[in-house]
Amino acid sequence: MTPKQDQLTGAKRFKTPKTRRDFLGLAAAWSAVVALAMAMLGAMRLPMPSVFPESNSRVKLGTPERYAVGTKQYFPKHRLWLFRDEAGFHAISATCTHLGCIAVRNDDGTFHCPCHGSKFDAIGNVEGGPAPKALVWVQLTVSPEGWLVADTFKEVKQGTVLVV
Ligand code: FES
């Protein structure tokens, strides 16, 4: 050990704690350092979203064979209507284009929104009320595993059908 190192290790602040008070003082100081470091890590993470909205936009609806021609099925969790007719599959979002309430499908196939009274025809066109545009047609695809998949964030042109 060099004389300088000897001088440093002999200094009071590098001595190992001898008393309970020294030990508690060091423990408190290190706890404060660790807490500060964790707080800084947490603060640095704040600008990053912990949930990515795109991550759950794709919805598996089962295999296409599950739906017979003539199917009209509602998926409440995804606010989505799935239809199968002779032309193929199409899906219409039940989210009202006015302020986002859930439009209800009537027995005659039209939709109405209970919140402010918008009315839509069977393919989602606005027939009345404050809704500024038609109900959204949602993209349907078949995954490589053979699942019917709706992407609720992807709009397709009205009249687009998926032929399976
Ligand atoms: S939210 Fe549907 S009419 Fe207002």
Side-chain angles (χ1 to χ4, degrees):
M1 202 177 276
T2 66
K4 188 162 187 158
Q5 284 174 326
D6 199 27
Q7 199 177 17
L8 276 177
T9 54
K12 187 176 180 185
R13 70 181 211 197
F14 288 102
K15 282 187 179 166
T16 52
K18 297 243 184 328
T19 65
R20 188 172 153 181
R21 176 177 290 189
D22 289 343
F23 171 77
L24 290 176
L26 271 177
W30 279 110
S31 297
V33 168
V34 169
L36 185 65
M38 297 306 281
M40 286 179 67
L41 279 176
M44 285 168 35
R45 214 180 147 270
L46 275 180
M48 292 180 248
S50 52
V51 175
F52 293 95
E54 291 284 336
S55 61
N56 61 355
S57 69
R58 290 171 56 84
V59 178
K60 282 184 184 173
L61 303 174
T63 57
E65 300 78 37
R66 187 173 147 186
Y67 304 100
V69 172
T71 295
K72 302 163 184 74
Q73 186 167 339
Y74 183 58
F75 296 88
K77 188 176 169 193
H78 310 292
R79 300 173 160 207
L80 190 70
W81 275 96
L82 177 72
F83 300 91
R84 183 174 193 183
D85 56 25
E86 295 77 24
F89 287 92
H90 68 275
I92 300 177
S93 170
T95 303
C96 179
T97 53
H98 179 223
L99 292 178
C101 288
I102 299 174
V104 177
R105 189 167 180 273
N106 303 314
D107 291 340
D108 64 357
T110 61
F111 296 86
H112 78 273
C113 179
C115 292
H116 310 102
S118 287
K119 292 180 177 164
F120 305 90
D121 69 11
I123 58 170
N125 291 317
V126 180
E127 289 190 322
K133 61 179 207 151
L135 294 176
V136 170
W137 282 48
V138 167
Q139 184 188 62
L140 289 174
T141 53
V142 176
S143 72
E145 300 82 29
W147 293 89
L148 190 60
V149 177
D151 193 330
T152 56
F153 281 12
K154 290 193 177 157
E155 183 175 347
V156 294
K157 221 172 105 190
Q158 197 178 71
T160 305
V161 293
L162 173 72
V163 179
V164 176

